């Protein structure tokens, strides 16, 4: 486990390393009647790890497939041109009310465009991965410390404590 932490700081694809380590650890758990862990549970857990790996692959494809910069520039230029010519068409029909109408239309369309630009890379501007990573690290550290306590106390002592602690 300390070796895995050291390697984790050096690998380029941390999520893939973690998933592979998780699958390796699940595969290494011996089948036992004492632990109530059979091949069926192992296969179920490995299938869940495989699904997690597929989700990681999908997220990596999102990150690595940016919208072409020329497309973003072209839509921005088209939107500006359309917004600037729209008052010329609406003025004869709406008169003075064209000013608030164009203001609302412009605000809405430019807002949608900005939202689309932010959605191009959600892992930077919208989804705060640093916060999620820190929370996951805390959970893993807590789980590892509980596992160490479990080994130190012994399975039977821990089970007795859990039964006593129940309301």
């Amino acid at each position: 486990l300390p070796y895995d932490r050291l390697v984790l700081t050096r690998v380029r694809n941390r999520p893939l390393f973690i998933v592979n380590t998780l699958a390796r650890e699940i595969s290494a758990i011996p089948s036992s009647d004492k632990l109530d862990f059979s091949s069926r549970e192992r296969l179920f857990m490995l299938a869940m790890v495989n699904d997690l790996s597929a989700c990681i692959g999908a997220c990596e494809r999102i990150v690595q497939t940016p919208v072409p910069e020329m497309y973003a520039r072209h839509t921005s230029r088209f939107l500006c041109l359309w917004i600037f010519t729209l008052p010329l068409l609406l003025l004869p029909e709406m008169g003075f009310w064209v000013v608030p109408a164009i203001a609302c239309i412009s605000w809405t369309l430019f807002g949608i465009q900005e939202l689309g630009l932010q959605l191009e890379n959600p892992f930077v501007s919208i989804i705060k991965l640093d916060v999620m990573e820190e929370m996951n690290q805390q959970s893993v550290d807590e789980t590892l410390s509980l596992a160490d306590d479990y080994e130190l106390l012994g399975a039977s002592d821990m089970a007795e404590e859990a039964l006593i602690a129940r309301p």
Side-chain angles (χ1 to χ4, degrees):
L1 209 46
Y3 170 76
D4 290 338
R5 286 185 183 175
L6 179 66
V7 173
L8 184 61
T9 61
R10 296 182 181 168
V11 296
R12 294 184 80 183
N13 191 337
R14 288 182 181 176
L16 185 61
F17 175 77
I18 291 170
V19 167
N20 287 337
T21 303
L22 188 59
R24 185 184 71 227
E25 292 296 323
I26 291 170
S27 297
I29 298 172
S31 296
S32 171
D33 291 336
K34 277 174 90 174
L35 297 176
D36 290 331
F37 191 77
S38 66
S39 295
R40 180 177 24 195
E41 283 89 7
R42 177 179 290 109
L43 290 175
F44 179 74
M45 289 178 72
L46 287 173
M48 290 175 60
V49 170
N50 190 35
D51 291 344
L52 180 61
S53 178
C55 289
I56 290 170
C59 290
E60 287 177 351
R61 280 190 296 280
I62 290 171
V63 169
Q64 295 172 357
T65 311
V67 174
E69 201 172 308
M70 287 303 292
Y71 174 78
R73 286 184 189 154
H74 181 70
T75 56
S76 176
R77 290 175 186 150
F78 173 77
L79 182 60
C80 287
L81 182 64
W82 190 79
I83 290 292
F84 287 142
T85 57
L86 187 60
L88 300 174
L89 299 173
L90 295 179
L91 188 61
E93 298 293 323
M94 296 180 71
F96 174 73
W97 291 104
V98 77
V99 175
I102 294 298
C104 288
I105 292 169
S106 299
W107 179 78
T108 303
L109 293 179
F110 282 117
I112 291 170
Q113 181 191 16
E114 183 63 28
L115 181 63
L117 291 174
Q118 286 184 4
L119 288 175
E120 283 181 22
N121 195 357
F123 300 109
V124 173
S125 60
I126 298 171
I127 302 171
K128 303 299 181 197
L129 290 182
D130 294 339
V131 174
M132 293 173 66
E133 180 182 3
E134 185 177 320
M135 290 175 53
N136 288 338
Q137 183 64 45
Q138 289 173 353
S139 298
V140 168
D141 290 342
E142 182 179 322
T143 303
L144 290 175
S145 69
L146 289 174
D148 292 341
D149 292 345
Y150 181 77
E151 288 176 8
L152 289 175
L153 291 175
S156 60
D157 295 339
M158 188 72 116
E160 287 176 17
E161 286 181 17
L163 289 173
I164 293 170
R166 281 191 187 166

